[in-house]
Amino acid sequence: MDPKQWAELADSLAEMARDLAEQDSVRATLDLIVAKAVELVEGCDAAGVLVLRGGRVDTVAASDDVVVASDRLQGELGEGPCFDAARNKHEAYRISDFSARSEQWPRYVPEARPLGIGSMMGFLLYTHDKDFGALDLYSFRQNAFGDSHEHVGWLLASHAAVAMSSAKHIENLRDGLETRHVIGQAVGIVMARYRLPENAAFARIVKASQNTNVKVRDLAETITFTGDIPADR
């Protein structure tokens, strides 16, 4: 890239960062990340986010069906650039030519070749809660990605990782506030119905949760809807 192209990329990444910050959920953040990857990385025809949970591969965002198929192969075979980026917490992997034999991924490459993939890159995206994520970029052309493309992909993945962490944090806070509100309503109902002090009303809900094997929040929602503790019916 020449200086002008780098300047344009910097502007695009700054705009992307602002757009990501405006998303109101993890789902929306993921969808925007893969859309921006296709838009900003030259030669990228498809993009996705793969999450590795206890050795199981989940595709949590994809711009094309080829991403889902590739992720499924990587999970089944236990190898591949995105799978290894997540599993080994390595920053980046690249396959330049799917028509060539791969010593690093000898099973994945020939299995993925019929999907029409010409080249691909995988980037470590985030690590939290024992889950590991990778951003995967695909081209239907061979040798579509060089060092400069890998650099751009890594910059994009770094921005995406920050956005993902922020979105997850906000979503957790929102869920926590909603849970507290629902449980508070349920406690109030139990206090009034059974003429109990607050601590005793909450303890009664917890006990009912244990007896029915239902989460406290779910039980609290039932109480606010029915005005009764299910276990007491």
Side-chain angles (χ1 to χ4, degrees):
M1 284 188 181
D2 59 34
K4 181 180 178 181
Q5 289 174 312
W6 279 115
E8 291 174 349
L9 174 64
D11 289 342
S12 296
L13 287 173
E15 181 181 354
M16 181 192 75
R18 289 192 293 270
D19 290 342
L20 287 171
E22 293 175 356
Q23 304 309 303
D24 60 1
S25 69
V26 173
R27 174 76 270 160
T29 301
L30 285 165
D31 289 341
L32 184 57
I33 287 170
V34 298
K36 286 294 184 180
V38 176
E39 177 186 332
L40 296 178
V41 181
E42 184 182 359
C44 180
D45 296 308
V49 175
L50 169 156
V51 174
L52 188 61
R53 297 187 176 103
R56 180 171 59 86
V57 171
D58 284 337
T59 303
V60 294
S63 68
D64 191 284
D65 289 343
V66 71
V67 176
V68 179
S70 173
D71 288 351
R72 184 172 59 249
L73 271 179
Q74 292 183 74
E76 291 172 354
L77 299 174
E79 66 174 55
C82 306
F83 183 88
D84 284 355
R87 179 180 59 184
N88 300 331
K89 290 180 274 188
H90 189 78
E91 291 185 354
Y93 287 100
R94 187 168 83 208
I95 298 178
S96 297
D97 186 356
F98 269 73
S99 67
R101 182 176 177 273
S102 172
E103 294 184 2
Q104 192 167 11
W105 299 291
R107 292 186 297 163
Y108 167 71
V109 169
E111 290 282 344
R113 195 176 294 142
L115 298 176
I117 303 170
S119 47
M120 70 176 292
M121 297 186 291
F123 302 90
L124 179 66
L125 185 57
Y126 65 88
T127 60
H128 68 255
D129 298 334
K130 298 182 181 179
D131 294 344
F132 304 101
L135 174 67
D136 42 338
L137 310 181
Y138 296 86
S139 175
F140 300 135
R141 295 185 295 108
Q142 299 167 6
N143 300 306
F145 302 130
D147 291 341
S148 64
H149 300 88
E150 186 172 318
H151 192 182
V152 173
W154 177 239
L155 289 172
L156 190 147
S158 299
H159 279 277
V162 173
M164 280 290 300
S165 178
S166 177
K168 186 69 174 176
H169 179 65
I170 292 171
E171 202 165 85
N172 286 341
L173 285 176
R174 186 185 299 122
D175 289 345
L177 289 172
E178 291 177 355
T179 296
R180 287 179 60 184
H181 179 67
V182 171
I183 291 176
Q185 285 183 316
V187 168
I189 291 170
V190 173
M191 288 173 65
R193 179 176 178 82
Y194 299 97
R195 297 182 180 181
L196 295 172
E198 182 177 357
N199 288 344
F202 179 70
R204 189 155 184 172
I205 293 172
V206 172
K207 183 65 174 177
S209 169
Q210 294 170 343
N211 290 340
T212 58
N213 197 29
V214 176
K215 291 182 180 179
V216 171
R217 171 173 174 153
D218 294 341
L219 186 65
E221 288 180 341
T222 300
I223 293 170
T224 59
F225 181 73
T226 64
D228 194 8
I229 300 177
D232 287 344
R233 292 175 187 167

